Amino acid sequence: MSELSSRRRMLVLAICCMSLLIVSLDVTVLNVALPSMERDLGASVSGMQWALDAYTLVLASLLMLAGSTADRIGRRRVFLTGLVLFTLGSVLCSLAPSLDWLIVFRMIQAIGGSMLNPVAMSIITNTFTDPRERARAIGVWGGVVGISMAAGPIIGGLLVDSVGWRSIFWINLPVGLAALLLTLRYVPESRAPKARRPDPVGQVLVIALLGSLTYAIIEAPGSPVTHTLAFGAVALAALLGLLYYEPRRAEPLIDLRFFRSVPFSGATVIAVSAFAALSGFLFLSTLYLQNVRGLSALHAGLWMLPMALMCFVCAPISGRLVGSRGPRFSLLMAGVWMTASGVLFAAFDAETSNVTLVIGYFLFGLGFGFVNAPITNTAVSGMPRSQAGVAAAVASTSRQTGGTLGVAVIGAVLASGIGAGSYKEVFAAAARPGWWIIAGCGLAVLVLGAVTTGDWARRTAERAAGRLEDEDGGSADSGSTGGKGGKGGDDASEDGTREAGGGKKGARGTAGARTTR
């Protein structure tokens, strides 16, 4: 792809952010609408879990396929297809006559969504070749998540209270159509010089792993133990199959060589932990505010506004910090405040007081606002640009997997705790284990953020980049997971860019020393 002007690059970024906006809005808006959907469709707690997880599950299963397909046949083409399917799926969701049909239409939405975010990130990676400029672009990208979190609860609340829950899907139509027209006009086509071939066996194994694991968790409270164990065994078999089959394939769906880099592996687990915490947090908060406190959808959205505003404010700050100082500080900040929020709810019943409830939302938003930029930047940094779609898709898959597991696990814990008791009376006690899980996810972000951003971790990124470069013949992409060449640590290099290898800066062996233009 030829070098674009600064104005054109900003326009491409804006178009890609539009796709992220509708996908992210769909999650936050839907959470606010859950109680209304529950009453209208006669759904149980597990039914509401499936309304959320049907989307994230399909999304997580197909993201890597979409990323590699976009690298192979054209990122713009796949992006356009995703916009059409996502918009069509949104219209169908608004017309769903029952919970079962809503779940089916959410899956259609997810097929389209799987072609949007990882492909958009790949387009951004190949558009912004300067590492410092890219870090800032990723900060803007993360800020859009904050915008969706800030606007989602309020827009969703207004629509649910005034028109009904079906109207929450209508907002995707104008944004999707605008993004479609602008993409046709302004986004250039790009593809990898040498992309991976399809891997149908790997794709089936990924679907089997995520689908059976999610089903086992969600249905565990109301199903026989043998039933749950059977699906758990399928998930384990699929995982072992992936670990055996993928390394033996010349062009695998999941390139396990990426995980030789400790920063990349850490970013993957951090993404799962952070987004599991987010999805669980929104799930518990929405049910508590509307079903226990009896608030309207709009008022519930306003209560969650402190969390959303902090995400909006902190995401671009985190992007700039990652560009100038590396990912460690942002990850430590995220881990500390997410853990503090979870502990406040779990140990001190923050939801029982208005003051502590607002503080808990404020702290979680502060922490989550810092986590997205370092995940994304670490995932695409140090990897050959020819495989940018695959690397970005792994990070996106980790996010959606975390979101799926968060709703599945915390929803199952809540359902088990409520049992046959009075919903309002037992909710606080039933939700307490879920809050501890959220605190544990925050602690995982904190610990992994510290461990996977040190000198040892940077050396593994350096070696992984060199091996990928040797084996694939590609150039390692400029990135940001380490310190200044020859110094290590978290010092910034003179131009504000970051190098994945804290040691030598040779022709190969650094994950951030060279950029293919």
Side-chain angles (χ1 to χ4, degrees):
M1 184 171 64
S2 61
E3 191 74 20
L4 302 178
S5 67
S6 176
R7 183 174 178 273
R8 181 78 173 270
R9 290 198 300 273
M10 290 300 106
L11 189 56
V12 170
L13 174 62
I15 294 168
C16 290
C17 286
M18 290 175 71
S19 72
L20 176 64
L21 180 63
I22 56 176
V23 173
S24 300
L25 267 178
D26 211 58
V27 176
T28 54
V29 170
L30 187 62
N31 268 279
V32 173
L34 282 179
S36 296
M37 294 167 59
E38 183 180 16
R39 292 188 295 270
D40 189 26
L41 299 176
S44 61
V45 172
S46 64
M48 291 299 93
Q49 288 174 271
W50 280 116
L52 292 171
D53 275 356
Y55 178 81
T56 54
L57 178 61
V58 173
L59 203 61
S61 299
L62 299 180
L63 281 169
M64 285 178 286
L65 173 63
S68 59
T69 301
D71 282 344
R72 184 171 57 256
I73 70 172
R75 297 173 181 120
R76 178 175 178 268
R77 180 183 301 176
V78 172
F79 188 69
L80 287 169
T81 304
L83 285 170
V84 171
L85 284 176
F86 188 87
T87 305
L88 174 62
S90 298
V91 173
L92 292 174
C93 286
S94 71
L95 303 174
S98 66
L99 178 64
D100 291 339
W101 278 110
L102 176 63
I103 291 171
V104 171
F105 295 149
R106 289 280 287 166
M107 294 172 73
I108 294 175
Q109 254 193 322
I111 295 173
S114 70
M115 303 178 190
L116 295 180
N117 286 1
V119 179
M121 178 51 62
S122 181
I123 292 172
I124 291 173
T125 302
N126 283 270
T127 299
F128 294 89
T129 54
D130 177 76
R132 187 174 185 178
E133 191 179 33
R134 183 196 302 131
R136 290 175 177 172
I138 291 174
V140 173
W141 173 269
V144 172
V145 177
I147 293 173
S148 71
M149 291 188 66
I154 297 175
I155 293 174
L158 282 170
L159 290 173
V160 171
D161 285 350
S162 61
V163 184
W165 64 265
R166 296 179 186 276
S167 63
I168 65 174
F169 296 104
W170 299 345
I171 59 177
N172 295 330
L173 184 59
V175 180
L177 291 176
L180 183 66
L181 295 175
L182 290 171
T183 300
L184 286 168
R185 176 68 178 84
Y186 294 108
V187 176
E189 183 62 280
S190 66
R191 55 175 58 86
K194 183 180 183 298
R196 284 176 169 79
R197 292 193 297 268
D199 180 9
V201 174
Q203 183 61 63
V204 170
L205 289 172
V206 167
I207 294 173
L209 169 61
L210 297 178
S212 56
L213 179 62
T214 303
Y215 187 88
I217 295 171
I218 290 179
E219 299 298 332
S223 300
V225 175
T226 53
H227 190 75
T228 303
L229 290 177
F231 278 92
V234 173
L236 178 60
L239 175 62
L240 294 175
L242 281 170
L243 294 176
Y244 175 82
Y245 176 78
E246 293 297 281
R248 288 165 173 76
R249 182 176 169 83
E251 296 181 350
L253 177 70
I254 305 174
D255 195 336
L256 299 181
R257 296 175 301 168
F258 288 173
F259 294 93
R260 296 171 183 170
S261 166
V262 169
F264 182 89
S265 300
T268 301
V269 180
I270 288 170
V272 172
S273 301
F275 279 77
L278 174 66
S279 62
F281 194 99
L282 292 174
F283 189 76
L284 290 178
S285 295
T286 299
L287 293 179
Y288 171 76
L289 291 172
Q290 295 190 54
N291 288 353
V292 178
R293 286 205 171 194
L295 300 178
S296 67
L298 176 58
H299 287 160
L302 290 173
W303 270 101
M304 290 189 283
L305 195 57
M307 174 183 66
L309 288 177
M310 290 311 299
C311 286
F312 174 66
V313 170
C314 293
I317 295 174
S318 178
R320 287 194 293 270
L321 287 171
V322 170
S324 62
R325 299 183 57 181
R328 170 170 280 194
F329 181 78
S330 290
L331 291 174
L332 295 182
M333 287 286 289
V336 167
W337 300 122
M338 289 172 69
T339 303
S341 177
V343 171
L344 189 63
F345 282 96
F348 301 99
D349 295 330
E351 67 270 27
T352 59
S353 165
N354 290 344
V355 174
T356 53
L357 182 64
V358 171
I359 293 174
Y361 287 162
F362 177 89
L363 292 177
F364 190 87
L366 179 63
F368 191 80
F370 274 95
V371 82
N372 211 30
I375 290 172
T376 303
N377 199 62
T378 303
V380 300
S381 297
M383 298 300 165
R385 283 178 58 210
S386 62
Q387 303 300 336
V390 178
V394 172
S396 296
T397 299
S398 302
R399 291 183 179 90
Q400 299 303 329
T401 300
T404 302
L405 294 178
V407 171
V409 172
I410 292 176
V413 168
L414 178 67
S416 298
I418 290 176
S422 172
Y423 192 93
K424 292 185 177 181
E425 293 178 2
V426 303
F427 186 91
R432 190 168 294 116
W435 291 118
W436 279 119
I437 293 172
I438 291 170
C441 290
L443 185 61
V445 173
L446 175 62
V447 173
L448 290 170
V451 172
T452 63
T453 55
D455 291 339
W456 163 74
R458 282 189 291 271
R459 287 194 292 270
T460 67
E462 177 184 340
R463 290 193 296 271
R467 289 175 181 173
L468 283 168
E469 196 174 343
D470 283 345
E471 294 170 10
D472 291 345
S475 294
D477 195 12
S478 295
S480 66
T481 54
K484 186 176 180 178
K487 287 186 179 182
D490 281 328
D491 301 325
S493 59
E494 293 177 1
D495 64 352
T497 63
R498 310 290 304 165
E499 293 165 15
K504 62 185 179 179
K505 189 176 178 181
R508 70 179 182 91
T510 65
R514 303 192 302 177
T515 303
T516 303
R517 295 189 182 272

